[in-house]
Every structure is written in structure tokens, then in C-alpha cells.
Amino acid sequence: MELHDIVVPERQKRRVPKPAVFVLLSVICKRYSTAAITTILTIFINLKLEYDKDMSTTVYHFYTFMASTFSVIGAIIAESRFGIYRTIVLVSIVYAVGCVIITIGVVDVFDLPIQVFSAVGLVVMAIGDGCITPLISTYGAYQYHSTEVDSIALFFVLYYFAYNVGSIISRLVNPFLRQEVQCFGNDDCFPVAFGISGFGMVLVAVLTAIANQYSETTHAASRNLQDFFACIRHAAVAKIRSKVTRSISIEDHWLKYSEKKYGKTLVWETRVMVNVLVLYVPIILFWALFFQQGSRWIFQAMRMNGDIGLFTVIPEQLSVINPLLVLLLIPVFERVVNPLLANLRIITDLQKTTMGGVLAGVAFLLSAMVEWQLENGKYLHMTWLLPQITIMSMAEILVTIPMMNFSYTVAPKSMKTMLQTCNNLTMGLGNLLVIIVVKLNLFESQACEFILFAVLMFLDMILFAFLAKRYKPSLEESTEEGKSFIK
């Protein structure tokens, strides 16, 4: 039995407190801003900066990798310097500044080096995006008491619902702004698309400030990442010395070698972290598949017929189908699919995640079939992409929401931000994996590359299922009292 699946004796009444409402509104604005950029980024690099498809794919995934990697920096700043609320406000403004930089560089009348301004702007935006992502979800969950297990689970469902509302709006509006609006003598208008994204992130700062005014809960102070790594380093060194010199007593778990120096509480918390981090490793490959919706699948759509009668679908607008399906499917999963899965004894977050990973592999097999037809000269309609997008959307629901809830509920009180950060980091590493595969150029056929990803995904989920079965949460309680670090 897993810690987050312990049955609560009395069914709790689920609620959404007022500060959590403002957090959810900020999630919509935040996701609009970030998705608005990633939706047009591949096209921007390909058409405006004039890089080829492989380089455009590489830059797109490297940007996403940077954004996820900077989540670690955001956690460190929140934990050791400003607190989670002030950090959200600060990095929101940082992201908006990045949007201003890239907007100025794109305006042709200024005759500025567009590559330089674009690079600087994207780096600044990646810092803001990465730092804020794990903090918003954690801050929202912090508006509940730790005993409100059902309400916290509901919040993460609503969080992902709001997240996809922002995705839909941005993926409908920004491609339209990019292609249909003309400005500064150009046939497109990238400056407006980037500029509105910056304004959306300013709204995030405002809504977070309002949420903070209503916040009533207090929470344990968060651990510093340095403590976590110091505990691991000390235990590893002591373990090696015990084997070499035998002058140190043998412990039943290698992390217990740090108890004398760092205390039982930190050792227990670190042990929980390590056990969960092992489970995160296979999730990296899932994100490698998932984020190709914004690169490889867009290039598929560019070679297909988008005419649906009343208007012609712009390739990057196709990406709106994924969040739209997620919005429609979340209630279906909550009321129909999850009860059915429970009847099949698929109950835990980790079991659902395994199923989601398998579906992602199936989606890539379908993608390979479509690619095979395109490579053989068939001019297909974009509707041929709907099955793979639908299955990937189902996979997304089965992976993202369970893993967010799992990460928050199993984490010790002082490490909830840290575990959400590490969960977010798997997204960045998944994008890095795509970059490596692209650079290796293993296949001339894109269809073969899709098949490779599918096969690896199936094997990866076998490993994940094995690790999930072995996972045993520690039920030991931390006794340290912490201070609030939110305000």
C-alpha cells in the first residue's frame, strides 16, 4: 500500500479556498504566456531566423530543457531567499522582461540583430518560466491543511484543467496573431504575439499578490537543497569508509551513516526523496515523446492538408487539440474512467502513470504510420493526426495529474517544493533526450525514429512498473517544527 493511497476513515468534503481560486486564475495566465511562445517557437525559428527543421527542433527542445532546468534555481531562491510567494512575483516580471527583449529584436524598423535579441530574450524567458512552474502548483496546494487529502487531490485536477484552458487560448490566439495580423511592414506579426505573452505574466504577479492577501495557512519551512546533497554526500563517503576500514559500524541503510551529523529527521526526509527520485527516471522518456507534439508533429502537419471548409488550419494551431481534449477528458476520467480502472484494480498514482506511458508509445506507433505515408508521397489531411493526438492526451492525463499528486502527498512537509521541482525537471531531461536523438541522426526516415521512441517507451514502462511495485513509502513521521516561508 502506498502512502498517498491510505484510506481516510471519513469522506472529506472537498473545497476550493479563495486564495486557491486566484492561484488557478494565475495558472491560466501563466500557461497562456508560456504556451503562446512554445506554440509559435518552432515556426519562428524556422521562418524568421531561417534555421532548418532539425535546428528548429533542437532549439525548441533546448528552450524547454532550459525552462525545466531553471526550476531548480526557482526552488533554491524560494527556499533560501525570498519565499515562495515573492519568488513567483519576481520571476513573473523576469519572464515579462524577456518578452520585451525578444519583441524589440523582432521589430524590423529598429534594424537590430534579431538572432542576438532572440537568444537573450529566450534565455531570460526560460529562466522565468522554469523558476515559476513548480512554485505555483505547490503554492496552491499550500492553501490547504495537510489533512485535506481529497481537497488537495481535487486542486491538482483543477490546476491541470486551468493549465489547459490557458493552453487552448494561447494556441488559438497566438498563431492567428502571428500569421493573420500584419505589422511593421511584414506579412506576419511576431512582436504582438510575444508582447501579449509578457502582459499575461504580469497578470500572474498581480493574481498571486491577491491570493497572498487571502492566504491563511502556515507551513513548515522548506529544506535547502544543499542540506539534501550534503546528507547524501556524507552518507556515501561514510559507507565507503565502512567497507574499506571497517572502523565504522555497519548500518542497514546507507543514508543512516549521516544520522550522527545531520539528525534522524533530515536522513528520513532524504531517504524519501531518493526513493521517489528513482521513480522519476523512467518518466523522462515520456516527456521526450510528449513534447514532440510541438516540433516533429508540427512538421508533419506542415506537409498535410489543413482545409476544413470554412477555413484552413494553420499547422501550429493543430496543437490546440491536445489541451482541448484534455479539458474534455478530465471530467470523463474523474467520473467514468477512474472508477472503471478501480474495478480493474488500477488504483494508485503509479499504476495510472504506467498505463499512460504505454499509451504514449501507442501514439508514436500511429505517428510512425502517418509519417510512412507522407514519406511515400501521399498528401494526407490533418485529420489523420487526430488518433495519435487523442491517445497522447489520454496518456498526459494518466501521467501528469497522478505524478503531481504523488509528488506532493508523499513528500515530507519540508520538501514538497523540492519534489515538485524534481518532477518538473524530468520534462527538461526529456527534451534533452530528443536533442540527443536528433543530433545523432540515427535514421534517414522520420518514421523509423518514431518507432524507436515507441519501442523504448514500452521497455521503459516495464522498468517503471517494476520500480513502482518495489516502492515502499516510509511511514516514519518527521518531528521537527518549521516556520512558514510563504509570507
Side-chain angles (χ1 to χ4, degrees):
M1 181 173 63
E2 300 185 7
L3 183 62
H4 61 294
D5 294 311
I6 294 176
V7 178
V8 180
E10 184 178 346
R11 184 69 178 178
Q12 301 170 341
K13 183 179 179 181
R14 302 200 294 182
R15 70 185 185 97
V16 183
K18 187 178 290 186
V21 172
F22 286 102
V23 171
L24 292 171
L25 290 174
S26 74
V27 170
I28 296 175
C29 295
K30 185 266 180 186
R31 184 52 184 164
Y32 172 87
S33 297
T34 56
I37 299 303
T38 55
T39 299
I40 64 173
L41 185 57
T42 303
I43 303 295
F44 172 73
I45 296 165
N46 184 233
L47 300 181
K48 201 71 176 180
L49 302 186
E50 300 180 344
Y51 290 110
D52 62 25
K53 292 180 179 179
D54 280 346
M55 179 56 71
S56 300
T57 299
T58 299
V59 174
Y60 168 84
H61 287 287
F62 187 71
Y63 172 82
T64 310
F65 165 71
M66 283 196 304
S68 298
T69 303
F70 279 117
S71 63
V72 178
I73 305 300
I76 293 174
I77 295 172
E79 293 164 356
S80 61
R81 187 69 178 176
F82 298 115
I84 192 169
Y85 152 66
R86 292 185 181 88
T87 303
I88 291 174
V89 174
L90 174 64
V91 296
S92 298
I93 302 303
V94 169
Y95 185 96
V97 170
C99 289
V100 172
I101 293 172
I102 198 169
T103 299
I104 293 173
V106 170
V107 178
D108 292 338
V109 295
F110 293 151
D111 196 25
L112 298 171
I114 185 173
Q115 283 83 1
V116 175
F117 273 75
S118 297
V120 173
L122 287 174
V123 169
V124 174
M125 288 159 59
I127 293 172
D129 184 2
C131 289
I132 197 175
T133 298
L135 301 183
I136 290 184
S137 61
T138 306
Y139 185 64
Y142 274 160
Q143 306 311 317
Y144 299 87
H145 299 289
S146 59
T147 56
E148 298 181 275
V149 178
D150 292 337
S151 293
I152 292 172
L154 173 64
F155 169 77
F156 283 116
V157 173
L158 295 176
Y159 171 91
Y160 211 67
F161 191 89
Y163 178 92
N164 282 280
V165 169
S167 292
I168 290 173
I169 297 172
S170 65
R171 292 175 182 184
L172 284 174
V173 173
N174 254 36
F176 176 82
L177 293 175
R178 190 272 302 175
Q179 180 163 306
E180 301 300 329
V181 177
Q182 290 80 42
C183 60
F184 303 107
N186 294 321
D187 293 332
D188 52 34
C189 197
F190 281 105
V192 171
F194 286 117
I196 293 179
S197 297
F199 176 73
M201 202 59 86
V202 172
L203 288 179
V204 172
V206 173
L207 289 168
T208 304
I210 296 173
N212 189 64
Q213 294 300 311
Y214 289 108
S215 182
E216 297 178 354
T217 53
T218 57
H219 309 278
S222 186
R223 286 285 185 189
N224 196 298
L225 279 173
Q226 287 89 326
D227 296 336
F228 170 67
F229 289 116
C231 182
I232 291 178
R233 183 175 61 252
H234 181 82
V237 171
K239 173 71 172 177
I240 294 171
R241 286 178 179 173
S242 70
K243 285 185 173 294
V244 174
T245 65
R246 299 188 181 276
S247 60
I248 304 176
S249 60
I250 304 298
E251 299 287 355
D252 61 345
H253 191 280
W254 64 277
L255 279 171
K256 287 192 175 182
Y257 286 99
S258 287
E259 281 188 356
K260 187 175 181 180
K261 182 174 182 179
Y262 293 101
K264 289 185 178 182
T265 298
L266 179 58
V267 169
W268 170 72
E269 292 173 342
T270 303
R271 187 171 178 176
V272 173
M273 282 282 292
V274 171
N275 288 342
V276 176
L277 290 179
V278 170
L279 291 171
Y280 285 169
V281 174
I283 304 301
I284 293 171
L285 185 59
F286 170 80
W287 293 117
L289 274 65
F290 177 83
F291 280 104
Q292 290 186 62
Q293 293 182 93
S295 57
R296 294 303 201 192
W297 287 13
I298 291 294
F299 286 129
Q300 273 190 326
M302 290 176 69
R303 293 176 286 152
M304 303 175 78
N305 177 17
D307 184 12
I308 58 174
L310 295 177
F311 63 94
T312 299
V313 178
I314 304 169
E316 61 264 43
Q317 277 184 328
L318 196 70
S319 61
V320 77
I321 297 175
N322 167 256
L324 180 60
L325 284 172
V326 170
L327 281 186
L328 295 175
L329 288 172
I330 283 178
V332 176
F333 269 76
E334 283 290 297
R335 295 183 176 273
V336 180
V337 177
N338 286 338
L340 288 175
L341 291 178
N343 291 334
L344 297 173
R345 301 184 67 82
I346 300 176
I347 301 173
T348 70
D349 290 332
L350 300 182
Q351 288 173 330
K352 292 175 184 177
T353 299
T354 304
M355 187 175 180
V358 172
L359 288 179
V362 172
F364 260 64
L365 287 180
L366 294 178
S367 184
M369 293 171 61
V370 172
E371 185 65 29
W372 184 265
Q373 297 294 318
L374 293 173
E375 290 177 357
N376 283 276
K378 289 192 175 181
Y379 187 52
L380 302 177
H381 196 273
M382 284 186 187
T383 51
W384 279 87
L385 297 176
L386 291 179
Q388 67 196 54
I389 296 173
T390 302
I391 293 176
M392 185 60 80
S393 300
M394 296 169 64
E396 180 183 356
I397 293 172
L398 286 167
V399 173
T400 52
I401 297 175
M403 286 307 295
M404 281 195 298
N405 186 57
F406 174 80
S407 299
Y408 186 85
T409 53
V410 303
K413 292 180 181 179
S414 63
M415 289 188 169
K416 293 188 181 296
T417 302
M418 195 183 303
L419 261 188
Q420 289 290 356
T421 299
C422 293
N423 183 33
N424 190 66
L425 188 59
T426 61
M427 301 182 189
L429 295 175
N431 282 275
L432 182 61
L433 182 58
V434 176
I435 295 172
I436 293 172
V437 172
V438 170
K439 289 301 181 182
L440 288 176
N441 196 22
L442 298 173
F443 306 102
E444 291 185 7
S445 169
Q446 183 64 57
C448 293
E449 185 179 294
F450 286 151
I451 292 174
L452 171 65
F453 275 113
V455 172
L456 290 176
M457 191 73 243
F458 294 139
L459 295 175
D460 186 58
M461 283 301 100
I462 293 174
L463 171 63
F464 182 79
F466 172 75
L467 294 174
K469 188 174 182 179
R470 292 188 59 190
Y471 174 73
K472 303 292 182 184
S474 173
L475 298 180
E476 182 180 350
E477 291 289 340
S478 173
T479 58
E480 287 187 357
E481 294 293 326
K483 298 179 180 179
S484 172
F485 69 105
I486 293 180
K487 294 185 178 181

